[in-house]
Amino acid sequence: MSTLLFDEIVFGPIHSRRLGTSLGMNLLPYDGKVCSFNCIYCECGYNEDGRTKTELPNRKNVKAALEHKLLKLKEENLKIDVITFAGNGEPTLHPHFAEIIDDTIELRNKYVPEAKISVLSNAMHIGKESVFNALKKVENNILKLDSANIETVRLIDQPNSPTYNIERQIEFFKKFEGNFILQTMFVRGSHNGKIVDNTTEEEVNGWLDIIKMTHPKEVMIYTIDRETPEKNLEKVPLEELKQIGKKVEQLGIKINIAG
């Protein structure tokens, strides 16, 4: 079982394979996981293994924790590239996510104006107006789509909504008018006796079709790097990720690869 949980509201800075020196933001409980996906590769483990009765941090405490950390970094003359919302689950589930983004922009502008703000999201909740508008305000609005095939998504990501579908996600992506980054985890192995592989020609071609339809400003592709709750998974070789990346580049879209 993977149990890499973040026990603070603000953590790091840490080195991110995709974003550089990152100050992390966790809007979920410090001792458990809250997410609307239940990905078989999640470093935080399965949702059922991270159940908690701890409340979410409130907006006031989040702002205070971030300001305290930014002041400390300034005193120590430490530079960061990005403030990243990730943590123990899905950050957009926080009921005051939009207001917290506004607070973060205010503090970023005051203390680290050169840093970008990133949100790593499973994209399930981008149909909510307040979430959509908040994501439009950040520099790196990073939205997940691991497959164009709903059966593959249900196998790998295990969304908790029976109504989740790819067609609706495509329409939501289009509303950003290119102001988003698409992120995809490529992985192979098995889960519950079923083959896991979103790197096949059919899978990649379907995924590329969605990129053509939605026109993200950048695509991030990566593979597993830490312990996963499903033990029958394996990394996709970097060379294969690069081959997939070349197909994205041929569409005129920036590619970010983390092997």
Side-chain angles (χ1 to χ4, degrees):
M1 180 181 70
S2 178
T3 55
L4 178 57
L5 295 174
F6 300 97
D7 59 2
E8 300 175 279
I9 296 173
V10 184
F11 56 93
I14 60 176
H15 176 71
S16 165
R17 289 185 293 166
R18 293 173 285 165
L19 300 170
T21 304
S22 172
L23 188 65
M25 299 289 292
N26 175 36
L27 303 186
L28 291 312
Y30 67 87
D31 61 350
K33 182 186 173 192
V34 177
C35 196
S36 45
F37 273 14
N38 197 20
C39 300
I40 63 176
Y41 57 73
C42 182
E43 64 188 26
C44 296
Y46 287 128
N47 295 347
E48 54 268 28
D49 296 324
R51 289 182 179 138
T52 175
K53 293 184 180 179
T54 303
E55 295 183 355
L56 304 182
N58 64 45
R59 176 186 178 185
K60 182 179 179 181
N61 288 344
V62 172
K63 185 174 183 179
L66 178 58
E67 184 162 30
H68 175 77
K69 188 68 172 185
L70 291 176
L71 279 168
K72 187 176 180 181
L73 292 177
K74 190 170 184 177
E75 290 170 2
E76 297 174 355
N77 198 29
L78 294 176
K79 304 290 186 182
I80 59 171
D81 299 310
V82 63
I83 299 170
T84 304
F85 286 82
N88 301 334
E90 173 53 41
T92 65
L93 284 173
H94 195 290
H96 297 291
F97 173 75
E99 294 91 339
I100 290 171
I101 288 295
D102 287 339
D103 293 341
T104 303
I105 292 171
E106 175 192 334
L107 293 174
R108 184 275 307 273
N109 292 347
K110 182 177 181 180
Y111 295 109
V112 285
E114 69 282 359
K116 295 180 179 180
I117 297 172
S118 298
V119 178
L120 301 179
S121 172
N122 64 25
M124 182 184 280
H125 311 286
I126 57 178
K128 185 177 179 181
E129 185 176 6
S130 62
V131 171
F132 175 79
N133 290 334
L135 289 174
K136 286 176 65 178
K137 297 177 182 179
V138 304
E139 288 81 10
N140 295 327
N141 166 27
I142 305 173
L143 306 178
K144 172 165 293 298
L145 185 71
D146 285 336
S147 175
N149 184 323
I150 188 59
E151 295 306 319
T152 303
V153 169
R154 295 203 180 282
L155 179 62
I156 296 177
D157 302 315
Q158 303 187 115
N160 66 11
S161 171
T163 63
Y164 179 92
N165 69 77
I166 304 300
E167 292 73 24
R168 185 165 63 239
Q169 291 304 111
I170 291 172
E171 293 308 309
F172 288 149
F173 288 154
K174 287 179 178 178
K175 289 182 179 180
F176 285 103
E177 298 179 327
N179 185 29
F180 79 102
I181 297 170
L182 187 75
Q183 64 163 335
T184 300
M185 166 71 81
F186 285 104
V187 66
R188 292 194 185 115
S190 64
H191 176 65
N192 289 343
K194 295 182 179 180
I195 298 298
V196 173
D197 188 354
N198 60 346
T199 70
T200 67
E201 183 177 1
E202 180 182 1
E203 284 278 350
V204 172
N205 286 341
W207 174 77
L208 288 168
D209 286 340
I210 291 179
I211 293 173
K212 293 174 188 176
M213 287 187 277
T214 59
H215 302 289
K217 64 181 180 182
E218 183 178 341
V219 172
M220 292 182 172
I221 62 175
Y222 58 124
T223 190
I224 56 177
D225 188 50
R226 299 187 177 99
E227 183 183 1
T228 58
E230 171 54 74
K231 301 307 177 188
N232 297 312
L233 298 180
E234 60 185 58
K235 291 172 69 77
V236 174
L238 179 59
E239 191 55 42
E240 290 189 40
L241 292 179
K242 289 180 178 179
Q243 291 302 315
I244 295 172
K246 285 181 181 179
K247 296 179 180 180
V248 175
E249 288 182 326
Q250 289 170 359
L251 300 177
I253 295 174
K254 181 182 177 181
I255 185 72
N256 184 322
I257 302 171

